[in-house]
Amino acid sequence: MGKYDDLIPFIFDNIGGRKNIISSNHCATRLRLKLGDASKFNEDKLKNNSLIMGTVKRDNEVQLIIGPDVDKVYSLFNKECNKSEFDNQVRQQKRRRKNLKSYGTSIVDFISGTFVPVLPILVAAGLVSAVLNILVTFFGVSTTSGTYTILNTVNNAGFYFLPIYIGYSAAKKIGINGMMGMFLGAILVHSAIDGVKGLSFFDLAIPITTYNTTTIPVIFGVLFMALVDKGADKVIPDAIKFFLKPLIVILITVPITLILLGPLGNVVGGYIVSLLGLMFDKMGWLSVGILGGLTPLLVMTGTNQALFPLVFAMMAESNYDSFVLPAMLAANVAVGAGALAISLQEKMLKNGPWPFQQALLE
């Protein structure tokens, strides 16, 4: 039996069961749940479980702090949820009229569910670049060697093929075939399309657009693909759906994405970068400080996930992010320093000051 097998039924017992779950998601450390009746959330019992580090409750949205193994817990949680009883409840909840707040929550949930699964790729690719720089600078690895070529390719592949990873993740999050989202991302970065001049589709001109390292164009494409997918599901007979549906979906989605949605996504990404650049230029270090100060609040509410598209847009445009990530790094260091200070203070109150603390007090 796995470490978390007993945790899943324990969670269900203390959140009101499957029927009380509207949606589930996770970030780097937290299992995030939206409940139909928040009064059934037994915070005291959940906090006392040794596998749960803490809880956060905000209206009918709750968070269970699991730690770095949250993806394992989420996977087990989803397996338990993927039963007809749960699916029917979700469908019933989705039929209810949504207010503005619920739409905002849905948008943040979609962004979080799309970008968080891709983060390990970007972390690995970015750290490989750091390792490569160390090898070249301090260990004399030649830039013409096979070692350099392989590690440099690992780094480049993490970012160059970003539309493929995002396409898969977005499609899975929105509830359609993830492979079709991946397929769309692969089409966009194909050398015959990516940044190519003079393309047309049935005499309709296709704007010159560079898709590698971008995120917004493929997200727009996948959102449109979901609409086509649901429409095709209704009209195509079941007997031929397996063969005909993927053909119809991709033949409609690709031209619309290349002609309209992809270029539009690049324009939106450019505006986002320009807006952040303007804010940084006008406010300088203060803009980083403001975002850093807001980061703990953003993390607690889950809205920090909405900043990932901004990071990727800036990296695609400028190859670096001088705003969001530095601000979050400063916030994390500050929180860590605060936690360390509290820890030392508690130990001092319990055991008396350590020698260096006594020296500081004197």
Side-chain angles (χ1 to χ4, degrees):
M1 180 175 285
K3 177 181 178 182
Y4 296 107
D5 288 345
D6 290 335
L7 178 62
I8 304 305
F10 176 80
I11 292 175
F12 279 122
D13 289 343
N14 289 284
I15 61 173
R18 295 186 192 91
K19 291 184 177 182
N20 197 34
I21 303 170
I22 296 176
S23 65
S24 63
N25 193 18
H26 77 94
C27 62
T29 59
R30 304 178 184 209
L31 179 65
R32 300 173 180 270
L33 306 174
K34 188 173 182 180
L35 305 180
D37 183 359
S39 66
K40 295 181 179 179
F41 179 67
N42 195 329
E43 192 168 9
D44 292 334
K45 281 193 175 181
L46 289 165
K47 279 183 177 179
N48 288 330
N49 190 297
S50 61
L51 296 176
I52 299 175
M53 301 177 188
T55 62
V56 178
K57 182 174 178 289
R58 185 167 58 91
D59 296 330
N60 65 332
E61 297 169 38
V62 299
Q63 303 169 19
L64 305 180
I65 304 172
I66 305 297
D69 280 346
V70 66
D71 56 336
K72 297 177 184 177
V73 174
Y74 179 72
S75 177
L76 292 171
F77 188 86
N78 261 4
K79 284 181 182 178
E80 198 65 29
C81 285
N82 285 334
K83 297 181 178 180
S84 58
E85 179 184 15
F86 173 75
D87 293 336
N88 289 335
Q89 180 68 14
V90 170
R91 281 193 288 269
Q92 290 171 10
Q93 295 285 358
K94 286 183 176 179
R95 290 192 191 105
R96 295 177 181 175
R97 195 176 79 178
K98 294 185 175 181
N99 56 29
L100 186 61
K101 181 179 178 181
S102 66
Y103 278 115
T105 301
S106 298
I107 291 171
V108 172
D109 181 63
F110 172 71
I111 292 174
S112 172
T114 296
F115 284 95
V116 168
V118 181
L119 290 182
I121 296 174
L122 302 183
V123 170
L127 292 179
V128 164
S129 177
V131 170
L132 187 58
N133 287 331
I134 292 172
L135 291 175
V136 172
T137 304
F138 299 104
F139 295 93
V141 173
S142 171
T143 56
T144 60
S145 67
T147 301
Y148 180 90
T149 300
I150 290 172
L151 292 180
N152 191 50
T153 301
V154 171
N155 169 253
N156 289 339
F159 295 95
Y160 187 92
F161 297 109
L162 196 53
I164 298 178
Y165 316 137
I166 293 292
Y168 176 83
S169 185
K172 289 285 288 183
K173 179 60 185 173
I174 210 168
I176 62 175
N177 191 324
M179 290 296 176
M180 292 297 288
M182 182 185 291
F183 188 21
L184 178 62
I187 292 168
L188 295 182
V189 300
H190 194 283
S191 58
I193 289 177
D194 186 34
V196 174
K197 300 178 181 179
L199 286 179
S200 64
F201 187 80
F202 287 108
D203 295 328
L204 293 173
I206 295 176
I208 304 169
T209 308
T210 300
Y211 292 107
N212 63 76
T213 73
T214 64
T215 60
I216 298 178
V218 73
I219 288 177
F220 282 5
V222 168
L223 290 173
F224 178 71
M225 177 185 282
L227 296 177
V228 178
D229 183 275
K230 291 175 182 177
D233 230 4
K234 295 177 181 178
V235 299
I236 299 176
D238 290 340
I240 58 174
K241 186 176 291 184
F242 180 81
F243 304 99
L244 191 58
K245 180 182 169 182
L247 173 65
I248 297 298
V249 169
I250 208 68
L251 283 182
I252 295 176
T253 301
V254 169
I256 298 299
T257 301
L258 293 178
I259 294 170
L260 178 62
L261 299 178
L264 177 62
N266 257 6
V267 171
V268 171
Y271 278 126
I272 290 172
V273 172
S274 298
L275 181 61
L276 288 176
L278 180 64
M279 182 177 176
F280 185 72
D281 288 340
K282 297 297 183 182
M283 301 180 68
W285 61 268
L286 183 59
S287 63
V288 180
I290 292 172
L291 183 57
L294 291 174
T295 292
L297 178 62
L298 296 176
V299 171
M300 283 190 291
T301 58
T303 49
N304 63 308
Q305 314 293 348
L307 297 177
F308 287 135
L310 312 184
V311 175
F312 296 147
M314 292 187 76
M315 293 182 71
E317 185 80 13
S318 311
N319 293 322
Y320 65 90
D321 167 30
S322 60
F323 181 39
V324 178
L325 293 182
M328 289 188 166
L329 174 61
N332 288 337
V333 171
V335 170
L340 179 60
I342 294 296
S343 173
L344 293 175
Q345 184 184 40
E346 288 296 315
K347 288 182 178 179
M348 184 175 70
L349 293 174
K350 183 177 180 181
N351 303 320
W354 293 352
F356 80 91
Q357 291 175 320
Q358 185 64 46
L360 290 175
L361 290 173
E362 294 174 353

